[in-house]
Amino acid sequence: MKKLVYLTFSLCSIFTLAQEVTQESVKKIVSTLSSDEMKGRLLGTPENEQAAHYISKLFKENKLEYCVGDSYLVPFQYKGKTVYNVCGIKKGNSEKLLGFSGHLDHIGTNEDQGDNIYNGADDDASGITALVSISDYFKNKKPEFSMVFMAFNCEEAGLLGSKALADDAGMEKINKNLVALFNFEMIATESEFGKNAMFMTGNDFSDLDDLFNDAASGLIKIHPDPYAKEQLFYRSDNVSFAKKKVVAHSFSTADMSKIKHYHQVNDDFTIVDVENMTNMINNFAKTLEKLTPKNFAPKYNDKVKL
């Protein structure tokens, strides 16, 4: 009997661990997107399109459905050139959706001798890794909410990719049912609040963080924005959806008093805290499992100016 109980416990433990995102997976995604071969993923370059195709491949592996048409790649025009957002859907028990996003582009290279590639590991290969990993976590699950995963292009040139998806007629039903958008922006390093903690931009504008923290029950903590004076809520891709009345915030760990890699060539894989990233992603996903349309319906208040 003891052997049977032990075997059952062992199998359950293996199954539980198998559901979690691994450090190896996180490392592979963020290192691939921020590799020298990607040359900083500058909008309009072959490497930028290569990054979009790589994310599309990962969406397929994670069994997502297309958002628009017959591809995860959703084209839009930038200065007469076709560029791509990447979008995938995970069907849940409700038509109501939670959205997860980050931006795939970065700022390319410079003409200096030596290291001249702005790899963008933190900004924002880390955010893309988070949303892809959450889709991986739910690959063999059916959550209460449906989920939409969006890798925006053209953030660095003015949030144009997120605006394109927010305005895309083919996305109308998805955007109409979008309850909240979690936009991941620079989560590769430990926050000033310690490990397993992020901050939310525009935290005074809605109750999303309170509702999320209540559900998390200590698994992970979302803190108020320590840089509120910088108006970060209005300076990242979340605002494109906020303007559509979707409760949309950005989530980050960037300690601006310490980091020296923002838009610098040293923003490469060497600065990534893979262990902390992996723990945050898994604990974020575990919290998402607790959310339902009945217990999670965040609202804006009158402080937000859209």
Side-chain angles (χ1 to χ4, degrees), residues 261-286:
H261 58 262
Y262 177 65
H263 281 194
Q264 302 298 317
V265 296
N266 65 330
D267 182 7
D268 56 29
F269 183 72
T270 60
I271 61 91
V272 179
D273 186 337
V274 173
E275 181 180 7
N276 187 51
M277 265 190 70
T278 306
N279 287 337
M280 286 193 302
I281 290 166
N282 280 314
N283 289 328
F284 206 98
K286 289 173 186 176

mmCIF file of all heavy atoms in Angstrom, residues 261-286:
data_model
loop_
_atom_site.group_PDB
_atom_site.id
_atom_site.type_symbol
_atom_site.label_atom_id
_atom_site.label_comp_id
_atom_site.label_asym_id
_atom_site.label_seq_id
_atom_site.Cartn_x
_atom_site.Cartn_y
_atom_site.Cartn_z
ATOM 1 N N HIS A 261 21.921 49.209 -18.855
ATOM 2 C CA HIS A 261 21.871 48.592 -20.177
ATOM 3 C C HIS A 261 20.733 49.083 -21.056
ATOM 4 O O HIS A 261 20.616 48.651 -22.196
ATOM 5 C CB HIS A 261 21.777 47.064 -20.035
ATOM 6 C CG HIS A 261 20.585 46.595 -19.242
ATOM 7 N ND1 HIS A 261 20.666 46.264 -17.905
ATOM 8 C CD2 HIS A 261 19.290 46.396 -19.593
ATOM 9 C CE1 HIS A 261 19.481 45.875 -17.469
ATOM 10 N NE2 HIS A 261 18.623 45.953 -18.482
ATOM 11 N N TYR A 262 19.900 49.982 -20.572
ATOM 12 C CA TYR A 262 18.751 50.426 -21.366
ATOM 13 C C TYR A 262 19.226 51.106 -22.654
ATOM 14 O O TYR A 262 19.939 52.101 -22.627
ATOM 15 C CB TYR A 262 17.877 51.375 -20.564
ATOM 16 C CG TYR A 262 16.708 51.939 -21.346
ATOM 17 C CD1 TYR A 262 15.678 51.119 -21.809
ATOM 18 C CD2 TYR A 262 16.645 53.295 -21.643
ATOM 19 C CE1 TYR A 262 14.626 51.627 -22.532
ATOM 20 C CE2 TYR A 262 15.588 53.818 -22.371
ATOM 21 C CZ TYR A 262 14.586 52.985 -22.809
ATOM 22 O OH TYR A 262 13.535 53.493 -23.545
ATOM 23 N N HIS A 263 18.843 50.528 -23.800
ATOM 24 C CA HIS A 263 19.233 51.021 -25.126
ATOM 25 C C HIS A 263 20.752 51.118 -25.275
ATOM 26 O O HIS A 263 21.274 52.011 -25.957
ATOM 27 C CB HIS A 263 18.567 52.366 -25.429
ATOM 28 C CG HIS A 263 17.148 52.214 -25.861
ATOM 29 N ND1 HIS A 263 16.434 53.242 -26.452
ATOM 30 C CD2 HIS A 263 16.277 51.169 -25.777
ATOM 31 C CE1 HIS A 263 15.195 52.826 -26.721
ATOM 32 N NE2 HIS A 263 15.088 51.564 -26.313
ATOM 33 N N GLN A 264 21.458 50.166 -24.650
ATOM 34 C CA GLN A 264 22.910 50.077 -24.769
ATOM 35 C C GLN A 264 23.283 48.719 -25.347
ATOM 36 O O GLN A 264 22.502 47.772 -25.322
ATOM 37 C CB GLN A 264 23.576 50.263 -23.396
ATOM 38 C CG GLN A 264 23.252 51.571 -22.705
ATOM 39 C CD GLN A 264 23.715 52.786 -23.483
ATOM 40 O OE1 GLN A 264 24.835 52.804 -24.034
ATOM 41 N NE2 GLN A 264 22.880 53.809 -23.553
ATOM 42 N N VAL A 265 24.519 48.621 -25.869
ATOM 43 C CA VAL A 265 24.950 47.368 -26.487
ATOM 44 C C VAL A 265 25.166 46.260 -25.461
ATOM 45 O O VAL A 265 25.263 45.080 -25.830
ATOM 46 C CB VAL A 265 26.238 47.563 -27.325
ATOM 47 C CG1 VAL A 265 25.984 48.488 -28.497
ATOM 48 C CG2 VAL A 265 27.391 48.073 -26.456
ATOM 49 N N ASN A 266 25.241 46.596 -24.171
ATOM 50 C CA ASN A 266 25.414 45.555 -23.157
ATOM 51 C C ASN A 266 24.091 44.953 -22.689
ATOM 52 O O ASN A 266 24.073 44.144 -21.760
ATOM 53 C CB ASN A 266 26.212 46.073 -21.955
ATOM 54 C CG ASN A 266 25.484 47.162 -21.178
ATOM 55 O OD1 ASN A 266 24.701 47.910 -21.760
ATOM 56 N ND2 ASN A 266 25.744 47.249 -19.886
ATOM 57 N N ASP A 267 22.971 45.319 -23.342
ATOM 58 C CA ASP A 267 21.693 44.666 -23.042
ATOM 59 C C ASP A 267 21.655 43.335 -23.801
ATOM 60 O O ASP A 267 20.927 43.171 -24.782
ATOM 61 C CB ASP A 267 20.512 45.563 -23.444
ATOM 62 C CG ASP A 267 19.160 44.939 -23.092
ATOM 63 O OD1 ASP A 267 19.147 43.883 -22.418
ATOM 64 O OD2 ASP A 267 18.118 45.500 -23.484
ATOM 65 N N ASP A 268 22.473 42.409 -23.322
ATOM 66 C CA ASP A 268 22.550 41.094 -23.962
ATOM 67 C C ASP A 268 22.257 40.008 -22.921
ATOM 68 O O ASP A 268 21.903 40.307 -21.780
ATOM 69 C CB ASP A 268 23.906 40.885 -24.641
ATOM 70 C CG ASP A 268 25.088 41.066 -23.697
ATOM 71 O OD1 ASP A 268 24.941 40.806 -22.477
ATOM 72 O OD2 ASP A 268 26.171 41.462 -24.160
ATOM 73 N N PHE A 269 22.415 38.768 -23.318
ATOM 74 C CA PHE A 269 21.981 37.668 -22.451
ATOM 75 C C PHE A 269 22.703 37.643 -21.108
ATOM 76 O O PHE A 269 22.182 37.103 -20.127
ATOM 77 C CB PHE A 269 22.161 36.330 -23.175
ATOM 78 C CG PHE A 269 21.679 35.166 -22.374
ATOM 79 C CD1 PHE A 269 20.316 34.937 -22.181
ATOM 80 C CD2 PHE A 269 22.586 34.295 -21.779
ATOM 81 C CE1 PHE A 269 19.865 33.879 -21.414
ATOM 82 C CE2 PHE A 269 22.147 33.226 -21.022
ATOM 83 C CZ PHE A 269 20.778 33.019 -20.844
ATOM 84 N N THR A 270 23.871 38.238 -21.019
ATOM 85 C CA THR A 270 24.644 38.190 -19.772
ATOM 86 C C THR A 270 23.939 38.888 -18.615
ATOM 87 O O THR A 270 24.256 38.612 -17.446
ATOM 88 C CB THR A 270 26.039 38.819 -19.953
ATOM 89 O OG1 THR A 270 25.892 40.199 -20.340
ATOM 90 C CG2 THR A 270 26.835 38.079 -21.009
ATOM 91 N N ILE A 271 22.998 39.778 -18.891
ATOM 92 C CA ILE A 271 22.327 40.505 -17.795
ATOM 93 C C ILE A 271 21.046 39.801 -17.341
ATOM 94 O O ILE A 271 20.392 40.249 -16.393
ATOM 95 C CB ILE A 271 22.021 41.968 -18.194
ATOM 96 C CG1 ILE A 271 21.089 42.053 -19.413
ATOM 97 C CG2 ILE A 271 23.317 42.746 -18.474
ATOM 98 C CD1 ILE A 271 19.639 42.118 -19.120
ATOM 99 N N VAL A 272 20.667 38.717 -17.991
ATOM 100 C CA VAL A 272 19.390 38.064 -17.716
ATOM 101 C C VAL A 272 19.475 37.154 -16.489
ATOM 102 O O VAL A 272 20.354 36.290 -16.405
ATOM 103 C CB VAL A 272 18.922 37.237 -18.925
ATOM 104 C CG1 VAL A 272 17.592 36.542 -18.617
ATOM 105 C CG2 VAL A 272 18.795 38.118 -20.167
ATOM 106 N N ASP A 273 18.576 37.351 -15.554
ATOM 107 C CA ASP A 273 18.432 36.474 -14.390
ATOM 108 C C ASP A 273 17.405 35.404 -14.762
ATOM 109 O O ASP A 273 16.206 35.558 -14.527
ATOM 110 C CB ASP A 273 17.972 37.283 -13.169
ATOM 111 C CG ASP A 273 17.932 36.467 -11.880
ATOM 112 O OD1 ASP A 273 17.834 35.227 -11.960
ATOM 113 O OD2 ASP A 273 17.968 37.079 -10.794
ATOM 114 N N VAL A 274 17.881 34.316 -15.357
ATOM 115 C CA VAL A 274 16.990 33.280 -15.882
ATOM 116 C C VAL A 274 16.173 32.634 -14.772
ATOM 117 O O VAL A 274 14.977 32.369 -14.931
ATOM 118 C CB VAL A 274 17.797 32.214 -16.661
ATOM 119 C CG1 VAL A 274 16.896 31.049 -17.066
ATOM 120 C CG2 VAL A 274 18.445 32.834 -17.891
ATOM 121 N N GLU A 275 16.805 32.374 -13.631
ATOM 122 C CA GLU A 275 16.098 31.721 -12.526
ATOM 123 C C GLU A 275 14.926 32.575 -12.049
ATOM 124 O O GLU A 275 13.804 32.084 -11.884
ATOM 125 C CB GLU A 275 17.055 31.451 -11.369
ATOM 126 C CG GLU A 275 16.385 30.747 -10.187
ATOM 127 C CD GLU A 275 17.329 30.485 -9.035
ATOM 128 O OE1 GLU A 275 18.488 30.958 -9.085
ATOM 129 O OE2 GLU A 275 16.913 29.812 -8.065
ATOM 130 N N ASN A 276 15.157 33.856 -11.831
ATOM 131 C CA ASN A 276 14.087 34.733 -11.360
ATOM 132 C C ASN A 276 12.993 34.892 -12.412
ATOM 133 O O ASN A 276 11.792 34.863 -12.097
ATOM 134 C CB ASN A 276 14.657 36.101 -10.978
ATOM 135 C CG ASN A 276 13.617 36.996 -10.324
ATOM 136 O OD1 ASN A 276 12.938 36.595 -9.379
ATOM 137 N ND2 ASN A 276 13.491 38.213 -10.836
ATOM 138 N N MET A 277 13.399 35.045 -13.670
ATOM 139 C CA MET A 277 12.415 35.148 -14.749
ATOM 140 C C MET A 277 11.509 33.925 -14.793
ATOM 141 O O MET A 277 10.282 34.032 -14.909
ATOM 142 C CB MET A 277 13.116 35.301 -16.111
ATOM 143 C CG MET A 277 13.291 36.718 -16.584
ATOM 144 S SD MET A 277 13.858 36.764 -18.316
ATOM 145 C CE MET A 277 12.396 36.205 -19.179
ATOM 146 N N THR A 278 12.123 32.757 -14.699
ATOM 147 C CA THR A 278 11.363 31.510 -14.781
ATOM 148 C C THR A 278 10.390 31.391 -13.613
ATOM 149 O O THR A 278 9.218 31.016 -13.795
ATOM 150 C CB THR A 278 12.305 30.299 -14.802
ATOM 151 O OG1 THR A 278 13.261 30.456 -15.863
ATOM 152 C CG2 THR A 278 11.535 29.004 -15.012
ATOM 153 N N ASN A 279 10.853 31.719 -12.419
ATOM 154 C CA ASN A 279 9.971 31.668 -11.251
ATOM 155 C C ASN A 279 8.803 32.637 -11.395
ATOM 156 O O ASN A 279 7.652 32.294 -11.083
ATOM 157 C CB ASN A 279 10.761 31.982 -9.976
ATOM 158 C CG ASN A 279 11.679 30.855 -9.566
ATOM 159 O OD1 ASN A 279 11.466 29.703 -9.931
ATOM 160 N ND2 ASN A 279 12.714 31.181 -8.808
ATOM 161 N N MET A 280 9.086 33.838 -11.875
ATOM 162 C CA MET A 280 8.016 34.822 -12.041
ATOM 163 C C MET A 280 6.988 34.347 -13.062
ATOM 164 O O MET A 280 5.772 34.482 -12.839
ATOM 165 C CB MET A 280 8.600 36.171 -12.482
ATOM 166 C CG MET A 280 9.316 36.934 -11.395
ATOM 167 S SD MET A 280 9.655 38.654 -11.856
ATOM 168 C CE MET A 280 10.623 38.446 -13.333
ATOM 169 N N ILE A 281 7.472 33.819 -14.163
ATOM 170 C CA ILE A 281 6.558 33.364 -15.219
ATOM 171 C C ILE A 281 5.662 32.241 -14.698
ATOM 172 O O ILE A 281 4.441 32.264 -14.901
ATOM 173 C CB ILE A 281 7.357 32.907 -16.452
ATOM 174 C CG1 ILE A 281 7.996 34.120 -17.146
ATOM 175 C CG2 ILE A 281 6.466 32.135 -17.427
ATOM 176 C CD1 ILE A 281 9.070 33.764 -18.158
ATOM 177 N N ASN A 282 6.257 31.271 -14.011
ATOM 178 C CA ASN A 282 5.455 30.167 -13.492
ATOM 179 C C ASN A 282 4.451 30.640 -12.440
ATOM 180 O O ASN A 282 3.296 30.208 -12.438
ATOM 181 C CB ASN A 282 6.364 29.081 -12.908
ATOM 182 C CG ASN A 282 6.955 28.180 -13.973
ATOM 183 O OD1 ASN A 282 6.252 27.712 -14.869
ATOM 184 N ND2 ASN A 282 8.244 27.927 -13.895
ATOM 185 N N ASN A 283 4.871 31.521 -11.558
ATOM 186 C CA ASN A 283 3.960 32.011 -10.520
ATOM 187 C C ASN A 283 2.885 32.932 -11.097
ATOM 188 O O ASN A 283 1.742 32.938 -10.612
ATOM 189 C CB ASN A 283 4.745 32.710 -9.416
ATOM 190 C CG ASN A 283 5.542 31.726 -8.578
ATOM 191 O OD1 ASN A 283 5.133 30.589 -8.395
ATOM 192 N ND2 ASN A 283 6.680 32.161 -8.067
ATOM 193 N N PHE A 284 3.237 33.671 -12.122
ATOM 194 C CA PHE A 284 2.242 34.480 -12.830
ATOM 195 C C PHE A 284 1.191 33.565 -13.452
ATOM 196 O O PHE A 284 -0.020 33.799 -13.331
ATOM 197 C CB PHE A 284 2.936 35.315 -13.910
ATOM 198 C CG PHE A 284 2.221 36.580 -14.276
ATOM 199 C CD1 PHE A 284 2.606 37.793 -13.724
ATOM 200 C CD2 PHE A 284 1.170 36.579 -15.181
ATOM 201 C CE1 PHE A 284 1.961 38.972 -14.061
ATOM 202 C CE2 PHE A 284 0.516 37.744 -15.521
ATOM 203 C CZ PHE A 284 0.914 38.953 -14.964
ATOM 204 N N ALA A 285 1.658 32.503 -14.110
ATOM 205 C CA ALA A 285 0.747 31.575 -14.773
ATOM 206 C C ALA A 285 -0.127 30.834 -13.761
ATOM 207 O O ALA A 285 -1.326 30.614 -14.004
ATOM 208 C CB ALA A 285 1.540 30.583 -15.613
ATOM 209 N N LYS A 286 0.449 30.450 -12.633
ATOM 210 C CA LYS A 286 -0.338 29.782 -11.592
ATOM 211 C C LYS A 286 -1.444 30.700 -11.068
ATOM 212 O O LYS A 286 -2.550 30.239 -10.752
ATOM 213 C CB LYS A 286 0.572 29.349 -10.441
ATOM 214 C CG LYS A 286 1.501 28.199 -10.786
ATOM 215 C CD LYS A 286 2.487 27.942 -9.655
ATOM 216 C CE LYS A 286 3.518 26.901 -10.050
ATOM 217 N NZ LYS A 286 4.543 26.698 -8.996
#
